[in-house]
């Protein structure tokens, strides 16, 4: 990453965020411009959706299994158990996302606290 | 079923949008932005960078991609490509929403301005309600909903940032964990189309190993490879019921 080394960290982050925002807004503006002229049920858009889903699923699996940053301080079995608990509560509560998230995050906090205790 | 609602004026419609966004949508998205704020803190960045990201980047998955790839030291190209792939779905979403926002006599720039609010929560609310509203109340409703949600998420971004910095480490873990868990459940809840369900499963399976192979390119390769595999498998496998329009 030659560019990253030439810049201070906050400036580099600002640069990445700006580019990310421009790319994001580009899709929206293009959507306004093309509205009424393209078929969103086409195979191209189905492929686009598949790529986005796969990329995010890959990122999330990686964030849970191989995190960088603060989550790396939590033990791997704890992170995996907390994710499983979130899924279990989600299905037990008739697919309530809020309760699932709260249970998963709460479980990770409790398990990490327990490990610090013993 | 779209609830039959009618407001006295476009102004009333905007205020209704404002009120509708407060409640479940704000609770769910607001807590996710708490998580985003804590992620920014964990990456060692200033709070104003987190606010800048929420202000300009508005669409959480892309914002998380930027922070995660920044932490890994990825190049500008990799970040731009990953955000482009993550957020490309905003194009068909905007295309589908626009017919429900149009009203005669509206200057074109207003459509471009409110398109910034196209992200899952506000989009879903507008897709549900706007078709049943008089034409001149649709864009105001969406703008009211979007502006409120966006402002509140700026507040929770900052709140999450300071909570993560101030709370004991094991509590911060819970905050940082909010986003991966939230998106995991959103995806599980949303996996109705076979192609997308396959994309999620193959992506989740390939993501971690490909990251180990190359921290630089793993995410992009996961997206293109797993996404195309899922798309191809869905085409080849015998179809039971073919999925219709969606975003």
């Amino acid at each position: 990453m030659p560019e990253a080394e030439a810049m201070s960290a906050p400036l580099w982050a600002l640069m990445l965020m700006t580019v990310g925002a421009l790319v994001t807004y580009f899709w929206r503006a293009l959507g306004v411009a093309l509205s009424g002229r393209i078929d969103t049920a086409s195979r191209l858009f189905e492929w686009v959706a598949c790529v986005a889903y796969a990329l995010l699923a890959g990122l999330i699996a990686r964030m849970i299994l191989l995190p960088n940053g603060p989550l790396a301080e939590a033990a791997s079995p704890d992170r995996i158990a907390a994710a499983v608990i979130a899924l279990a509560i989600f299905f037990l509560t008739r697919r309530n996302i809020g309760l699932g998230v709260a249970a998963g995050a709460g479980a990770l906090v409790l398990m990490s606290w327990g490990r610090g205790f013993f | 079923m779209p609830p039959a609602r009618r407001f006295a004026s476009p102004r009333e419609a905007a205020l209704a949008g404002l009120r509708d966004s407060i409640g479940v949508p704000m609770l769910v998205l607001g807590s996710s932005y708490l998580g985003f704020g804590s992620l920014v803190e964990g990456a060692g960045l200033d709070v104003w960078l987190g606010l800048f990201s929420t202000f300009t980047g508005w669409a959480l998955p892309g914002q998380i991609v930027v922070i995660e790839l920044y932490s890994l030291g990825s190049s500008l190209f990799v970040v731009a490509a990953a955000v482009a792939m993550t957020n490309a779905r905003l194009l068909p979403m905007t295309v589908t929403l626009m017919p429900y926002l149009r009203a005669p006599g509206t200057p074109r720039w207003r459509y471009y301005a409110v398109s910034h609010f196209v992200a899952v929560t506000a989009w879903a609310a507008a897709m549900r309600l706007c078709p049943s509203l008089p034409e001149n109340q649709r864009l105001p409703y969406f703008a009211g909903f979007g502006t409120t949600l966006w402002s509140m998420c700026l507040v929770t971004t900052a709140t999450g940032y300071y909570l993560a910095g101030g709370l004991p480490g094991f509590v911060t873990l819970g905050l940082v964990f909010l986003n991966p868990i939230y998106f995991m459940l959103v995806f599980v809840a949303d996996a109705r189309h076979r192609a997308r369900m396959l994309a999620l499963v193959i992506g989740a399976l390939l993501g971690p190993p490909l990251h180990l192979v190359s921290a630089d390119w793993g995410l992009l390769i996961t997206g293109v490879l797993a996404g195309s595999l899922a798309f191809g498998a869905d085409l080849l496998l015998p179809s039971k019921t073919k999925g219709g329009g969606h975003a």
Side-chain angles (χ1 to χ4, degrees):
Chain A
M1 37 158 199
E3 307 108 306
E5 281 149 20
M7 265 188 215
S8 73
L11 211 57
W12 179 242
L14 183 66
M15 173 102 148
L16 295 184
M17 285 171 180
T18 306
V19 169
L22 289 174
V23 167
T24 303
Y25 186 71
F26 169 78
W27 290 129
R28 292 172 169 134
L30 197 63
V32 178
L34 294 179
S35 154
R37 285 181 233 168
I38 53 167
D39 174 19
T40 54
S42 70
R43 285 194 169 161
L44 173 67
F45 284 119
E46 191 51 41
W47 177 74
V48 164
C50 284
V51 169
Y53 271 55
L55 189 149
L56 283 170
L59 177 71
I60 287 151
R62 202 271 293 153
M63 285 172 85
I64 295 172
L65 297 174
L66 305 165
N68 50 11
L71 273 183
E73 287 158 33
S76 290
D78 292 1
R79 291 192 306 264
I80 296 165
V84 173
I85 289 170
L87 278 170
I89 296 297
F90 169 74
F91 284 113
L92 287 175
T93 56
R94 295 184 178 188
R95 305 163 85 84
N96 186 317
I97 292 181
L99 287 178
V101 171
L108 186 69
V109 170
L110 285 177
M111 286 187 284
S112 306
W113 177 71
R115 277 183 192 266
F117 222 56
F118 298 114
Chain B
M1 287 297 104
R5 284 168 72 186
R6 218 157 241 277
F7 308 107
S9 64
R11 189 188 140 81
E12 284 298 314
L15 289 172
L18 184 158
R19 281 191 304 271
D20 284 358
S21 77
I22 301 170
V24 176
M26 194 170 281
L27 192 70
V28 172
L29 200 62
S31 358
S32 303
Y33 273 93
L34 273 185
F36 177 71
S38 69
L39 198 68
V40 172
E41 203 270 347
L45 295 168
D46 281 341
V47 68
W48 66 266
L49 277 167
L51 291 171
F52 178 79
S53 172
T54 301
F55 191 82
T56 62
W58 188 242
L60 191 51
Q63 293 178 252
I64 296 172
V65 165
V66 171
I67 299 291
E68 284 291 313
L69 290 179
Y70 163 79
S71 302
L72 292 176
S74 299
S75 70
L76 191 60
F77 174 79
V78 167
V79 173
V83 175
M85 285 184 202
T86 307
N87 284 342
R89 79 215 137 78
L90 297 174
L91 167 61
M93 281 167 72
T94 310
V95 167
T96 3
L97 179 63
M98 278 305 138
Y100 301 124
L101 296 185
R102 283 220 185 86
T106 310
R108 269 194 87 68
W109 66 265
R110 287 206 190 155
Y111 299 123
Y112 284 98
V114 297
S115 76
H116 183 58
F117 297 133
V118 175
V120 168
T121 310
W123 178 84
M127 289 292 285
R128 199 165 49 239
L129 188 64
C130 286
S132 70
L133 292 179
E135 283 183 336
N136 67 344
Q137 300 186 358
R138 295 172 172 183
L139 190 135
Y141 178 85
F142 180 61
F145 196 105
T147 316
T148 316
L149 205 60
W150 188 44
S151 322
M152 282 315 296
C153 289
L154 283 166
V155 173
T156 56
T157 298
T159 311
Y161 185 94
Y162 288 115
L163 282 177
L167 291 171
F170 65 89
V171 184
T172 302
L173 285 179
L175 283 176
V176 184
F177 206 49
L178 287 176
N179 280 317
I181 290 296
Y182 170 66
F183 280 105
M184 179 183 80
L185 294 185
V186 165
F187 283 145
V188 173
D190 191 45
R192 283 167 311 218
H193 298 97
R194 186 174 62 185
R196 296 179 193 191
M197 205 174 71
L198 286 169
L200 292 176
V201 173
I202 304 173
L205 290 175
L206 290 186
L210 285 176
H211 170 76
L212 291 177
V213 173
S214 164
D216 271 357
W217 297 93
L219 191 62
L220 292 182
I221 298 171
T222 301
V224 176
L225 187 64
S228 305
L229 279 175
F231 178 75
D234 185 62
L235 282 183
L236 294 176
L237 292 170
S239 62
K240 277 172 280 180
T241 47
K242 200 68 201 137
H246 36 251

PDB file of all heavy atoms in Angstrom, chain B residues 206-240:
ATOM      1  N   LEU B 206     -16.228 -19.156   1.997  1.00  0.00           N
ATOM      2  CA  LEU B 206     -14.982 -18.783   1.323  1.00  0.00           C
ATOM      3  C   LEU B 206     -14.298 -17.572   1.949  1.00  0.00           C
ATOM      4  O   LEU B 206     -13.083 -17.414   1.837  1.00  0.00           O
ATOM      5  CB  LEU B 206     -15.256 -18.478  -0.163  1.00  0.00           C
ATOM      6  CG  LEU B 206     -15.613 -19.641  -1.070  1.00  0.00           C
ATOM      7  CD1 LEU B 206     -15.693 -19.176  -2.515  1.00  0.00           C
ATOM      8  CD2 LEU B 206     -14.565 -20.755  -0.951  1.00  0.00           C
ATOM      9  N   GLY B 207     -15.079 -16.704   2.588  1.00  0.00           N
ATOM     10  CA  GLY B 207     -14.526 -15.451   3.113  1.00  0.00           C
ATOM     11  C   GLY B 207     -13.318 -15.626   4.013  1.00  0.00           C
ATOM     12  O   GLY B 207     -12.231 -15.092   3.719  1.00  0.00           O
ATOM     13  N   PRO B 208     -13.442 -16.377   5.125  1.00  0.00           N
ATOM     14  CA  PRO B 208     -12.292 -16.506   6.032  1.00  0.00           C
ATOM     15  C   PRO B 208     -11.056 -17.163   5.396  1.00  0.00           C
ATOM     16  O   PRO B 208      -9.957 -16.596   5.500  1.00  0.00           O
ATOM     17  CB  PRO B 208     -12.855 -17.333   7.193  1.00  0.00           C
ATOM     18  CG  PRO B 208     -14.324 -17.078   7.148  1.00  0.00           C
ATOM     19  CD  PRO B 208     -14.665 -16.927   5.698  1.00  0.00           C
ATOM     20  N   PRO B 209     -11.198 -18.325   4.689  1.00  0.00           N
ATOM     21  CA  PRO B 209      -9.978 -18.898   4.090  1.00  0.00           C
ATOM     22  C   PRO B 209      -9.333 -17.988   3.043  1.00  0.00           C
ATOM     23  O   PRO B 209      -8.101 -17.873   3.005  1.00  0.00           O
ATOM     24  CB  PRO B 209     -10.452 -20.206   3.447  1.00  0.00           C
ATOM     25  CG  PRO B 209     -11.917 -20.256   3.588  1.00  0.00           C
ATOM     26  CD  PRO B 209     -12.343 -19.238   4.563  1.00  0.00           C
ATOM     27  N   LEU B 210     -10.141 -17.323   2.211  1.00  0.00           N
ATOM     28  CA  LEU B 210      -9.547 -16.449   1.196  1.00  0.00           C
ATOM     29  C   LEU B 210      -8.866 -15.240   1.838  1.00  0.00           C
ATOM     30  O   LEU B 210      -7.892 -14.712   1.303  1.00  0.00           O
ATOM     31  CB  LEU B 210     -10.603 -15.993   0.181  1.00  0.00           C
ATOM     32  CG  LEU B 210     -11.025 -17.057  -0.831  1.00  0.00           C
ATOM     33  CD1 LEU B 210     -12.153 -16.549  -1.726  1.00  0.00           C
ATOM     34  CD2 LEU B 210      -9.829 -17.474  -1.691  1.00  0.00           C
ATOM     35  N   HIS B 211      -9.377 -14.824   2.995  1.00  0.00           N
ATOM     36  CA  HIS B 211      -8.722 -13.737   3.729  1.00  0.00           C
ATOM     37  C   HIS B 211      -7.328 -14.182   4.182  1.00  0.00           C
ATOM     38  O   HIS B 211      -6.383 -13.399   4.156  1.00  0.00           O
ATOM     39  CB  HIS B 211      -9.573 -13.350   4.934  1.00  0.00           C
ATOM     40  CG  HIS B 211      -8.881 -12.415   5.890  1.00  0.00           C
ATOM     41  ND1 HIS B 211      -8.722 -11.072   5.614  1.00  0.00           N
ATOM     42  CD2 HIS B 211      -8.285 -12.624   7.092  1.00  0.00           C
ATOM     43  CE1 HIS B 211      -8.062 -10.502   6.619  1.00  0.00           C
ATOM     44  NE2 HIS B 211      -7.793 -11.419   7.523  1.00  0.00           N
ATOM     45  N   LEU B 212      -7.226 -15.468   4.576  1.00  0.00           N
ATOM     46  CA  LEU B 212      -5.929 -15.989   5.015  1.00  0.00           C
ATOM     47  C   LEU B 212      -4.975 -16.109   3.828  1.00  0.00           C
ATOM     48  O   LEU B 212      -3.775 -15.890   3.956  1.00  0.00           O
ATOM     49  CB  LEU B 212      -6.096 -17.346   5.698  1.00  0.00           C
ATOM     50  CG  LEU B 212      -6.815 -17.297   7.047  1.00  0.00           C
ATOM     51  CD1 LEU B 212      -6.999 -18.709   7.609  1.00  0.00           C
ATOM     52  CD2 LEU B 212      -6.056 -16.430   8.045  1.00  0.00           C
ATOM     53  N   VAL B 213      -5.513 -16.440   2.656  1.00  0.00           N
ATOM     54  CA  VAL B 213      -4.681 -16.547   1.458  1.00  0.00           C
ATOM     55  C   VAL B 213      -4.161 -15.159   1.069  1.00  0.00           C
ATOM     56  O   VAL B 213      -2.980 -14.968   0.793  1.00  0.00           O
ATOM     57  CB  VAL B 213      -5.481 -17.162   0.280  1.00  0.00           C
ATOM     58  CG1 VAL B 213      -4.680 -17.110  -1.011  1.00  0.00           C
ATOM     59  CG2 VAL B 213      -5.866 -18.591   0.612  1.00  0.00           C
ATOM     60  N   SER B 214      -5.057 -14.163   1.033  1.00  0.00           N
ATOM     61  CA  SER B 214      -4.638 -12.806   0.715  1.00  0.00           C
ATOM     62  C   SER B 214      -5.520 -11.807   1.446  1.00  0.00           C
ATOM     63  O   SER B 214      -6.699 -11.658   1.136  1.00  0.00           O
ATOM     64  CB  SER B 214      -4.736 -12.558  -0.796  1.00  0.00           C
ATOM     65  OG  SER B 214      -4.682 -11.170  -1.056  1.00  0.00           O
ATOM     66  N   ALA B 215      -4.949 -11.110   2.429  1.00  0.00           N
ATOM     67  CA  ALA B 215      -5.712 -10.113   3.165  1.00  0.00           C
ATOM     68  C   ALA B 215      -6.070  -8.946   2.245  1.00  0.00           C
ATOM     69  O   ALA B 215      -7.058  -8.255   2.458  1.00  0.00           O
ATOM     70  CB  ALA B 215      -4.924  -9.615   4.368  1.00  0.00           C
ATOM     71  N   ASP B 216      -5.254  -8.733   1.196  1.00  0.00           N
ATOM     72  CA  ASP B 216      -5.508  -7.629   0.262  1.00  0.00           C
ATOM     73  C   ASP B 216      -6.704  -7.897  -0.639  1.00  0.00           C
ATOM     74  O   ASP B 216      -7.569  -7.061  -0.810  1.00  0.00           O
ATOM     75  CB  ASP B 216      -4.280  -7.425  -0.644  1.00  0.00           C
ATOM     76  CG  ASP B 216      -3.296  -6.450  -0.025  1.00  0.00           C
ATOM     77  OD1 ASP B 216      -3.616  -5.921   1.058  1.00  0.00           O
ATOM     78  OD2 ASP B 216      -2.229  -6.245  -0.613  1.00  0.00           O
ATOM     79  N   TRP B 217      -6.696  -9.069  -1.265  1.00  0.00           N
ATOM     80  CA  TRP B 217      -7.667  -9.334  -2.321  1.00  0.00           C
ATOM     81  C   TRP B 217      -8.763 -10.299  -1.908  1.00  0.00           C
ATOM     82  O   TRP B 217      -9.706 -10.536  -2.656  1.00  0.00           O
ATOM     83  CB  TRP B 217      -6.935  -9.898  -3.557  1.00  0.00           C
ATOM     84  CG  TRP B 217      -5.982  -8.901  -4.106  1.00  0.00           C
ATOM     85  CD1 TRP B 217      -4.651  -8.783  -3.813  1.00  0.00           C
ATOM     86  CD2 TRP B 217      -6.278  -7.824  -5.008  1.00  0.00           C
ATOM     87  NE1 TRP B 217      -4.112  -7.714  -4.480  1.00  0.00           N
ATOM     88  CE2 TRP B 217      -5.087  -7.115  -5.225  1.00  0.00           C
ATOM     89  CE3 TRP B 217      -7.462  -7.418  -5.651  1.00  0.00           C
ATOM     90  CZ2 TRP B 217      -5.022  -6.000  -6.054  1.00  0.00           C
ATOM     91  CZ3 TRP B 217      -7.399  -6.309  -6.492  1.00  0.00           C
ATOM     92  CH2 TRP B 217      -6.186  -5.616  -6.682  1.00  0.00           C
ATOM     93  N   GLY B 218      -8.635 -10.918  -0.712  1.00  0.00           N
ATOM     94  CA  GLY B 218      -9.564 -11.955  -0.289  1.00  0.00           C
ATOM     95  C   GLY B 218     -11.025 -11.554  -0.394  1.00  0.00           C
ATOM     96  O   GLY B 218     -11.856 -12.314  -0.887  1.00  0.00           O
ATOM     97  N   LEU B 219     -11.336 -10.317   0.046  1.00  0.00           N
ATOM     98  CA  LEU B 219     -12.735  -9.886   0.092  1.00  0.00           C
ATOM     99  C   LEU B 219     -13.321  -9.736  -1.313  1.00  0.00           C
ATOM    100  O   LEU B 219     -14.441 -10.184  -1.588  1.00  0.00           O
ATOM    101  CB  LEU B 219     -12.832  -8.571   0.867  1.00  0.00           C
ATOM    102  CG  LEU B 219     -14.235  -8.122   1.242  1.00  0.00           C
ATOM    103  CD1 LEU B 219     -14.894  -9.127   2.165  1.00  0.00           C
ATOM    104  CD2 LEU B 219     -14.184  -6.755   1.909  1.00  0.00           C
ATOM    105  N   LEU B 220     -12.536  -9.122  -2.216  1.00  0.00           N
ATOM    106  CA  LEU B 220     -13.020  -8.941  -3.590  1.00  0.00           C
ATOM    107  C   LEU B 220     -13.214 -10.285  -4.277  1.00  0.00           C
ATOM    108  O   LEU B 220     -14.228 -10.514  -4.947  1.00  0.00           O
ATOM    109  CB  LEU B 220     -12.024  -8.106  -4.404  1.00  0.00           C
ATOM    110  CG  LEU B 220     -11.868  -6.639  -4.028  1.00  0.00           C
ATOM    111  CD1 LEU B 220     -10.882  -5.961  -4.966  1.00  0.00           C
ATOM    112  CD2 LEU B 220     -13.204  -5.935  -4.071  1.00  0.00           C
ATOM    113  N   ILE B 221     -12.218 -11.174  -4.073  1.00  0.00           N
ATOM    114  CA  ILE B 221     -12.316 -12.489  -4.716  1.00  0.00           C
ATOM    115  C   ILE B 221     -13.517 -13.247  -4.156  1.00  0.00           C
ATOM    116  O   ILE B 221     -14.266 -13.887  -4.903  1.00  0.00           O
ATOM    117  CB  ILE B 221     -11.004 -13.281  -4.530  1.00  0.00           C
ATOM    118  CG1 ILE B 221      -9.858 -12.521  -5.217  1.00  0.00           C
ATOM    119  CG2 ILE B 221     -11.117 -14.686  -5.106  1.00  0.00           C
ATOM    120  CD1 ILE B 221      -8.474 -13.079  -4.929  1.00  0.00           C
ATOM    121  N   THR B 222     -13.729 -13.159  -2.835  1.00  0.00           N
ATOM    122  CA  THR B 222     -14.889 -13.816  -2.236  1.00  0.00           C
ATOM    123  C   THR B 222     -16.171 -13.346  -2.904  1.00  0.00           C
ATOM    124  O   THR B 222     -17.025 -14.156  -3.284  1.00  0.00           O
ATOM    125  CB  THR B 222     -14.971 -13.496  -0.724  1.00  0.00           C
ATOM    126  OG1 THR B 222     -13.777 -13.937  -0.102  1.00  0.00           O
ATOM    127  CG2 THR B 222     -16.159 -14.192  -0.082  1.00  0.00           C
ATOM    128  N   GLY B 223     -16.316 -12.025  -3.063  1.00  0.00           N
ATOM    129  CA  GLY B 223     -17.537 -11.469  -3.648  1.00  0.00           C
ATOM    130  C   GLY B 223     -17.769 -11.979  -5.054  1.00  0.00           C
ATOM    131  O   GLY B 223     -18.836 -12.519  -5.375  1.00  0.00           O
ATOM    132  N   VAL B 224     -16.762 -11.818  -5.912  1.00  0.00           N
ATOM    133  CA  VAL B 224     -16.934 -12.179  -7.322  1.00  0.00           C
ATOM    134  C   VAL B 224     -17.073 -13.689  -7.484  1.00  0.00           C
ATOM    135  O   VAL B 224     -17.976 -14.178  -8.176  1.00  0.00           O
ATOM    136  CB  VAL B 224     -15.754 -11.649  -8.168  1.00  0.00           C
ATOM    137  CG1 VAL B 224     -15.876 -12.116  -9.604  1.00  0.00           C
ATOM    138  CG2 VAL B 224     -15.716 -10.125  -8.099  1.00  0.00           C
ATOM    139  N   LEU B 225     -16.191 -14.438  -6.799  1.00  0.00           N
ATOM    140  CA  LEU B 225     -16.182 -15.889  -6.961  1.00  0.00           C
ATOM    141  C   LEU B 225     -17.443 -16.527  -6.372  1.00  0.00           C
ATOM    142  O   LEU B 225     -18.191 -17.235  -7.064  1.00  0.00           O
ATOM    143  CB  LEU B 225     -14.921 -16.469  -6.305  1.00  0.00           C
ATOM    144  CG  LEU B 225     -14.658 -17.951  -6.514  1.00  0.00           C
ATOM    145  CD1 LEU B 225     -14.410 -18.245  -7.993  1.00  0.00           C
ATOM    146  CD2 LEU B 225     -13.452 -18.400  -5.693  1.00  0.00           C
ATOM    147  N   ALA B 226     -17.696 -16.253  -5.091  1.00  0.00           N
ATOM    148  CA  ALA B 226     -18.844 -16.883  -4.438  1.00  0.00           C
ATOM    149  C   ALA B 226     -20.147 -16.382  -5.051  1.00  0.00           C
ATOM    150  O   ALA B 226     -21.088 -17.164  -5.254  1.00  0.00           O
ATOM    151  CB  ALA B 226     -18.813 -16.600  -2.934  1.00  0.00           C
ATOM    152  N   GLY B 227     -20.211 -15.084  -5.379  1.00  0.00           N
ATOM    153  CA  GLY B 227     -21.417 -14.527  -5.987  1.00  0.00           C
ATOM    154  C   GLY B 227     -21.703 -15.171  -7.339  1.00  0.00           C
ATOM    155  O   GLY B 227     -22.837 -15.541  -7.639  1.00  0.00           O
ATOM    156  N   SER B 228     -20.639 -15.313  -8.170  1.00  0.00           N
ATOM    157  CA  SER B 228     -20.841 -15.903  -9.498  1.00  0.00           C
ATOM    158  C   SER B 228     -21.168 -17.385  -9.402  1.00  0.00           C
ATOM    159  O   SER B 228     -22.001 -17.897 -10.155  1.00  0.00           O
ATOM    160  CB  SER B 228     -19.591 -15.689 -10.364  1.00  0.00           C
ATOM    161  OG  SER B 228     -19.281 -14.316 -10.416  1.00  0.00           O
ATOM    162  N   LEU B 229     -20.518 -18.088  -8.468  1.00  0.00           N
ATOM    163  CA  LEU B 229     -20.825 -19.505  -8.269  1.00  0.00           C
ATOM    164  C   LEU B 229     -22.294 -19.681  -7.897  1.00  0.00           C
ATOM    165  O   LEU B 229     -22.992 -20.553  -8.437  1.00  0.00           O
ATOM    166  CB  LEU B 229     -19.954 -20.093  -7.148  1.00  0.00           C
ATOM    167  CG  LEU B 229     -18.529 -20.516  -7.498  1.00  0.00           C
ATOM    168  CD1 LEU B 229     -17.787 -20.949  -6.236  1.00  0.00           C
ATOM    169  CD2 LEU B 229     -18.551 -21.656  -8.519  1.00  0.00           C
ATOM    170  N   ALA B 230     -22.758 -18.852  -6.973  1.00  0.00           N
ATOM    171  CA  ALA B 230     -24.145 -18.951  -6.524  1.00  0.00           C
ATOM    172  C   ALA B 230     -25.094 -18.637  -7.668  1.00  0.00           C
ATOM    173  O   ALA B 230     -26.086 -19.341  -7.891  1.00  0.00           O
ATOM    174  CB  ALA B 230     -24.389 -17.997  -5.356  1.00  0.00           C
ATOM    175  N   PHE B 231     -24.771 -17.582  -8.431  1.00  0.00           N
ATOM    176  CA  PHE B 231     -25.601 -17.181  -9.563  1.00  0.00           C
ATOM    177  C   PHE B 231     -25.666 -18.307 -10.596  1.00  0.00           C
ATOM    178  O   PHE B 231     -26.743 -18.668 -11.076  1.00  0.00           O
ATOM    179  CB  PHE B 231     -25.015 -15.909 -10.179  1.00  0.00           C
ATOM    180  CG  PHE B 231     -25.763 -15.430 -11.380  1.00  0.00           C
ATOM    181  CD1 PHE B 231     -26.991 -14.792 -11.241  1.00  0.00           C
ATOM    182  CD2 PHE B 231     -25.235 -15.589 -12.652  1.00  0.00           C
ATOM    183  CE1 PHE B 231     -27.677 -14.342 -12.356  1.00  0.00           C
ATOM    184  CE2 PHE B 231     -25.920 -15.141 -13.768  1.00  0.00           C
ATOM    185  CZ  PHE B 231     -27.142 -14.518 -13.622  1.00  0.00           C
ATOM    186  N   GLY B 232     -24.486 -18.876 -10.906  1.00  0.00           N
ATOM    187  CA  GLY B 232     -24.412 -19.961 -11.889  1.00  0.00           C
ATOM    188  C   GLY B 232     -25.148 -21.199 -11.408  1.00  0.00           C
ATOM    189  O   GLY B 232     -25.907 -21.816 -12.159  1.00  0.00           O
ATOM    190  N   ALA B 233     -24.949 -21.564 -10.136  1.00  0.00           N
ATOM    191  CA  ALA B 233     -25.601 -22.758  -9.595  1.00  0.00           C
ATOM    192  C   ALA B 233     -27.112 -22.600  -9.658  1.00  0.00           C
ATOM    193  O   ALA B 233     -27.844 -23.536 -10.012  1.00  0.00           O
ATOM    194  CB  ALA B 233     -25.149 -22.990  -8.160  1.00  0.00           C
ATOM    195  N   ASP B 234     -27.592 -21.385  -9.374  1.00  0.00           N
ATOM    196  CA  ASP B 234     -29.034 -21.146  -9.395  1.00  0.00           C
ATOM    197  C   ASP B 234     -29.591 -21.293 -10.809  1.00  0.00           C
ATOM    198  O   ASP B 234     -30.703 -21.777 -11.004  1.00  0.00           O
ATOM    199  CB  ASP B 234     -29.338 -19.754  -8.850  1.00  0.00           C
ATOM    200  CG  ASP B 234     -30.828 -19.505  -8.751  1.00  0.00           C
ATOM    201  OD1 ASP B 234     -31.493 -20.237  -7.995  1.00  0.00           O
ATOM    202  OD2 ASP B 234     -31.324 -18.608  -9.445  1.00  0.00           O
ATOM    203  N   LEU B 235     -28.784 -20.877 -11.812  1.00  0.00           N
ATOM    204  CA  LEU B 235     -29.232 -21.010 -13.204  1.00  0.00           C
ATOM    205  C   LEU B 235     -29.279 -22.474 -13.630  1.00  0.00           C
ATOM    206  O   LEU B 235     -30.180 -22.890 -14.345  1.00  0.00           O
ATOM    207  CB  LEU B 235     -28.282 -20.261 -14.139  1.00  0.00           C
ATOM    208  CG  LEU B 235     -28.408 -18.738 -14.221  1.00  0.00           C
ATOM    209  CD1 LEU B 235     -27.431 -18.193 -15.241  1.00  0.00           C
ATOM    210  CD2 LEU B 235     -29.836 -18.339 -14.593  1.00  0.00           C
ATOM    211  N   LEU B 236     -28.260 -23.239 -13.160  1.00  0.00           N
ATOM    212  CA  LEU B 236     -28.130 -24.617 -13.613  1.00  0.00           C
ATOM    213  C   LEU B 236     -29.080 -25.568 -12.899  1.00  0.00           C
ATOM    214  O   LEU B 236     -29.613 -26.489 -13.491  1.00  0.00           O
ATOM    215  CB  LEU B 236     -26.688 -25.100 -13.436  1.00  0.00           C
ATOM    216  CG  LEU B 236     -25.654 -24.378 -14.319  1.00  0.00           C
ATOM    217  CD1 LEU B 236     -24.247 -24.854 -14.009  1.00  0.00           C
ATOM    218  CD2 LEU B 236     -25.976 -24.599 -15.802  1.00  0.00           C
ATOM    219  N   LEU B 237     -29.262 -25.327 -11.598  1.00  0.00           N
ATOM    220  CA  LEU B 237     -30.133 -26.222 -10.830  1.00  0.00           C
ATOM    221  C   LEU B 237     -31.570 -26.097 -11.335  1.00  0.00           C
ATOM    222  O   LEU B 237     -31.982 -25.022 -11.751  1.00  0.00           O
ATOM    223  CB  LEU B 237     -30.067 -25.876  -9.336  1.00  0.00           C
ATOM    224  CG  LEU B 237     -28.734 -26.158  -8.646  1.00  0.00           C
ATOM    225  CD1 LEU B 237     -28.716 -25.543  -7.253  1.00  0.00           C
ATOM    226  CD2 LEU B 237     -28.507 -27.660  -8.553  1.00  0.00           C
ATOM    227  N   PRO B 238     -32.315 -27.194 -11.308  1.00  0.00           N
ATOM    228  CA  PRO B 238     -33.710 -27.095 -11.750  1.00  0.00           C
ATOM    229  C   PRO B 238     -34.476 -26.104 -10.864  1.00  0.00           C
ATOM    230  O   PRO B 238     -34.319 -26.120  -9.643  1.00  0.00           O
ATOM    231  CB  PRO B 238     -34.243 -28.527 -11.562  1.00  0.00           C
ATOM    232  CG  PRO B 238     -33.274 -29.206 -10.651  1.00  0.00           C
ATOM    233  CD  PRO B 238     -31.958 -28.537 -10.842  1.00  0.00           C
ATOM    234  N   SER B 239     -35.262 -25.245 -11.505  1.00  0.00           N
ATOM    235  CA  SER B 239     -35.947 -24.225 -10.707  1.00  0.00           C
ATOM    236  C   SER B 239     -37.320 -24.718 -10.287  1.00  0.00           C
ATOM    237  O   SER B 239     -38.077 -25.258 -11.083  1.00  0.00           O
ATOM    238  CB  SER B 239     -36.081 -22.934 -11.517  1.00  0.00           C
ATOM    239  OG  SER B 239     -36.857 -23.183 -12.659  1.00  0.00           O
ATOM    240  N   LYS B 240     -37.590 -24.512  -9.001  1.00  0.00           N
ATOM    241  CA  LYS B 240     -38.907 -24.879  -8.487  1.00  0.00           C
ATOM    242  C   LYS B 240     -39.866 -23.740  -8.785  1.00  0.00           C
ATOM    243  O   LYS B 240     -40.775 -23.850  -9.568  1.00  0.00           O
ATOM    244  CB  LYS B 240     -38.829 -25.156  -6.981  1.00  0.00           C
ATOM    245  CG  LYS B 240     -38.346 -26.579  -6.688  1.00  0.00           C
ATOM    246  CD  LYS B 240     -38.080 -26.792  -5.209  1.00  0.00           C
ATOM    247  CE  LYS B 240     -36.734 -26.240  -4.816  1.00  0.00           C
ATOM    248  NZ  LYS B 240     -36.432 -26.412  -3.402  1.00  0.00           N
TER     249      LYS B 240
END
